[in-house]
Amino acid sequence: MDKKAFFKLGCYGVFAIFLYSLSIQLWDYFHEGVPSHHFLANENLPKVSNWWGIISLPLAFAFLFYRIQQREFTNSNGIDKKRIKHLILHFGLAFLYALIIAVAFSTGNSSISSFFFFGIFALGLFFPVYKSEFCLGFILGLSYTFGGVLPLVICLVLAIICFLLLTVSRLVWVKLVKR
């Protein structure tokens, strides 16, 4: 796939995410009303309406897809099918992982959602879960349950922590192997 086709795919993706977010908000509006969420589920912190997802999710998709494009096309003119399969796999795994967290949280299984949420840190020691394809899948997996803003904030914090975890763990590993 060349750069032009990849960019076109990204444009279609932004439009699809916009329609996805808009359809969720309209469904909520005509049924129970569009929910709002407190940061960290703390009543003392401000509420964020899910309406913001109509803007934040397509922008996040565009930004993360652009980062993937910049990374993949830096030293080459195209992406082979094997690399595309890896990107889709990483996206899909992060999406399913976030979906498990969202479903567990929605059904009141806080122990399962906490286990999987904190399990991200364990995964971050061994895998680059801070990369854009993982973040994109994670944000979209949480977006139906938590709206379009909270998953972005959560993913930003997790990406920074997981980047630091992986970097430090690799440095420690290299120091131990050199001994």
Side-chain angles (χ1 to χ4, degrees):
M1 180 179 291
D2 64 343
K3 194 171 186 175
K4 186 176 180 180
F6 198 76
F7 177 77
K8 192 174 182 181
L9 180 66
C11 291
Y12 289 138
V14 168
F15 185 68
I17 297 300
F18 173 77
L19 290 178
Y20 162 76
S21 183
L22 181 65
S23 65
I24 290 172
Q25 303 319 317
L26 290 175
W27 175 269
D28 285 342
Y29 179 77
F30 288 114
H31 287 81
E32 301 143 6
V34 177
S36 297
H37 302 278
H38 290 281
F39 281 110
L40 302 174
N42 186 345
E43 300 277 330
N44 298 326
L45 295 175
K47 276 186 168 183
V48 178
S49 174
N50 281 6
W51 280 113
W52 284 103
I54 295 173
I55 298 168
S56 64
L57 287 177
L59 286 176
F61 181 88
F63 174 72
L64 293 171
F65 202 82
Y66 174 76
R67 286 183 42 85
I68 293 169
Q69 180 180 352
Q70 291 301 326
R71 186 183 69 225
E72 296 299 325
F73 288 97
T74 299
N75 297 324
S76 66
N77 293 331
I79 304 177
D80 61 347
K81 289 183 180 183
K82 183 179 177 183
R83 186 66 192 137
I84 291 175
K85 286 180 183 179
H86 281 277
L87 291 171
I88 292 170
L89 177 68
H90 295 165
F91 170 82
L93 289 173
F95 182 82
L96 289 175
Y97 196 90
L99 208 57
I100 291 169
I101 293 171
V103 169
F105 182 84
S106 296
T107 57
N109 294 322
S110 61
S111 60
I112 294 173
S113 63
S114 294
F115 175 78
F116 276 91
F117 181 78
F118 290 112
I120 293 171
F121 299 118
L123 291 171
L125 286 170
F126 305 103
F127 302 106
V129 296
Y130 57 84
K131 288 194 171 185
S132 297
E133 57 269 21
F134 289 107
C135 290
L136 190 57
F138 189 76
I139 290 167
L140 291 178
L142 291 179
S143 65
Y144 181 76
T145 303
F146 298 107
V149 176
L150 291 180
L152 289 172
V153 174
I154 291 168
C155 189
L156 177 65
V157 172
L158 288 176
I160 291 169
I161 292 171
C162 287
F163 173 77
L164 293 173
L165 280 173
L166 186 63
T167 304
V168 169
S169 67
R170 284 182 177 174
L171 288 173
V172 169
W173 180 254
V174 167
K175 295 285 184 188
L176 289 175
V177 170
K178 284 186 177 180
R179 286 185 172 185

